[in-house]
Amino acid sequence: MKWVKAFVYSPWVYHLHAGGCNGCDIELVAALMPKYDSSRFGFKLASSPRHADILVVTGPVPQHMKDFVLTTYEQVPDPKVVVVVGHCGISGGVFLWRDDENYAIAGPLNKLIPVDVYVPGCPPKPEAVMSGLVLAAKKLAEKASGGSGG
Amino acid sequence: MGGLLDSIRWALRGLSRIATVDYPAVPDSEYSEVEYIRGRPVLDPDKCTACGACASDCPSDAIEVGIDDEGAYRKYFVDRCMFCGRCIDVCPEGALKSSNEHIHVHGAGEEPVDIYRFETVKCLECGRPFAVPLFLKVVGERLGENLDESVRELVLVDYRHYSRICPDCKIKLNLKVHPGKYMVVG
């Protein structure tokens, strides 16, 4: 197995469900469970955004979730990395066509907050989620050593 | 009692092997199912006629087929794709194939987009690019198959000329050749 030089300590993950269908959430939890075992790289679910280093967002961000997403993002301490899982959060997906608008959707997520890692798929396989988390850990290490902050 | 014995047997089997999947995923390993899943559809450009069936049926608008001044193009936005395989089902030429590439993780501003440009036929009348040669060939073949033998040659001779003219010019030409056949509105 190839070891990845990750963050100096174990990066904690906060999972934010922003109006998705629950598919990506199930895959994210599967990626943290023993079969896909992301804890071999030190990833751990945090129960509060104030304890987290990585914010994982799923779902297309409907209007009623917009304020919660912004508040949660502000609560994560610097340096932080935002990972968006699933094509809903990346581009709006089936809820939002290219160059179009939807009165119910405030997303895609990169309109609201800066996103560092994209994990496309509907839903992505746990292996893809795991690669996304590993990339996020690398970006977190860069941010921490560069001192640029979130 | 049988159920309990089965459970014990499964529990003992679990002790004798590693259940965790390797990272990065190894396609041939015993514990990874990568080869059985749907991934991004791959285009065979030799078969594609740029008809746009995949673009119009894509539920998440991930495919764009169109014509601009440089000619016909097909864009595929991986970020929008949900790997449902609908484009593979609707393609009349069988030009799309599923692959098991499903990990497309990327950073900000690195969205993977597949762009393919086609050779394009220009209209004999106005010189505007309007169709892909393979499309005209395939339509001609299908037309020949479905026609009665008595009129086939006659129609195909006409088709060979009129297929090289763009739809806009075709309407103008028709009005010129058959005045009074159509009613012009507006």
Side-chain angles (χ1 to χ4, degrees):
Chain A
M1 193 176 73
K2 195 178 156 192
W3 288 97
V4 180
K5 279 182 193 168
F7 204 32
V8 279
Y9 59 88
S10 139
W12 285 20
V13 176
Y14 183 72
H15 172 203
L16 173 60
H17 171 88
C21 67
N22 231 10
C24 298
D25 309 82
I26 290 169
E27 302 298 317
L28 173 64
V29 173
L32 295 162
M33 285 290 127
K35 184 164 183 188
Y36 293 95
D37 199 20
S38 290
S39 40
R40 68 181 111 169
F41 305 122
F43 298 110
K44 195 171 174 292
L45 264 186
S47 50
S48 161
R50 288 170 197 273
H51 300 160
D53 304 301
I54 298 174
L55 178 65
V56 179
V57 187
T58 59
V61 196
Q63 291 289 357
H64 72 279
M65 281 302 293
K66 188 181 162 186
D67 293 342
F68 296 114
V69 170
L70 293 174
T71 317
T72 314
Y73 176 74
E74 281 160 15
Q75 282 179 359
V76 180
D78 283 338
K80 58 191 162 193
V81 169
V82 179
V83 182
V84 55
V85 173
H87 84 316
C88 290
I90 296 175
S91 57
V94 288
F95 300 102
L96 199 65
W97 279 36
R98 254 185 289 118
D99 313 321
D100 206 352
E101 279 184 9
N102 186 336
Y103 66 91
I105 305 290
L109 189 71
N110 55 13
K111 247 198 230 170
L112 305 172
I113 55 176
V115 179
D116 300 287
V117 177
Y118 297 78
V119 184
C122 185
K125 265 202 105 192
E127 282 152 349
V129 176
M130 216 156 74
S131 323
L133 289 177
V134 170
L135 185 60
K138 282 180 189 165
K139 296 215 168 199
L140 191 64
E142 274 171 30
K143 278 190 181 182
S145 60
S148 58
Chain B
M1 199 58 195
L4 186 64
L5 276 176
D6 273 359
S7 312
I8 294 169
R9 203 172 293 139
W10 274 103
L12 289 176
R13 270 184 73 180
L15 288 176
S16 66
R17 60 170 192 157
I18 303 162
T20 308
V21 170
D22 284 346
Y23 181 87
V26 185
D28 299 329
S29 81
E30 193 190 338
Y31 312 117
S32 173
E33 298 107 336
V34 175
E35 60 181 298
Y36 306 115
I37 69 144
R38 268 199 309 253
R40 96 202 253 173
V42 178
L43 178 75
D44 182 355
D46 295 337
K47 284 184 187 170
C48 181
T49 60
C51 66
C54 49
S56 66
D57 259 44
C58 180
S60 58
D61 202 22
I63 303 168
E64 188 185 340
V65 177
I67 290 182
D68 58 13
D69 295 337
E70 288 176 45
Y73 62 87
R74 182 186 185 275
K75 287 181 189 169
Y76 168 57
F77 302 88
V78 180
D79 261 10
R80 301 197 65 93
C81 182
M82 50 198 243
F83 310 136
C84 64
R86 184 81 185 120
C87 48
I88 301 167
D89 289 348
V90 298
C91 183
E93 312 304 325
L96 286 159
K97 256 188 190 168
S98 184
S99 74
N100 56 18
E101 275 176 64
H102 67 286
I103 300 175
H104 302 289
V105 174
H106 62 91
E110 299 162 4
E111 186 193 347
V113 184
D114 283 359
I115 303 176
Y116 187 78
R117 284 207 167 269
F118 298 90
E119 229 187 292
T120 316
V121 175
K122 282 181 181 162
C123 173
L124 287 179
E125 299 282 323
C126 65
R128 185 172 67 92
F130 76 101
V132 174
L134 192 61
F135 179 75
L136 301 179
K137 194 186 151 206
V138 167
V139 171
E141 277 170 11
R142 301 246 165 99
L143 193 66
E145 278 169 24
N146 294 325
L147 282 173
D148 192 64
E149 274 184 31
S150 54
V151 290
R152 187 180 290 153
E153 279 310 309
L154 200 67
V155 173
L156 284 181
V157 167
D158 255 12
Y159 176 77
R160 259 166 234 139
H161 177 69
Y162 283 103
S163 67
R164 309 270 309 274
I165 299 169
C166 76
D168 292 351
C169 292
K170 232 179 255 173
I171 293 171
K172 283 177 200 162
L173 209 68
N174 253 326
L175 286 170
K176 223 184 277 173
V177 176
H178 306 289
K181 190 178 172 183
Y182 299 96
M183 189 170 69
V184 182
V185 181

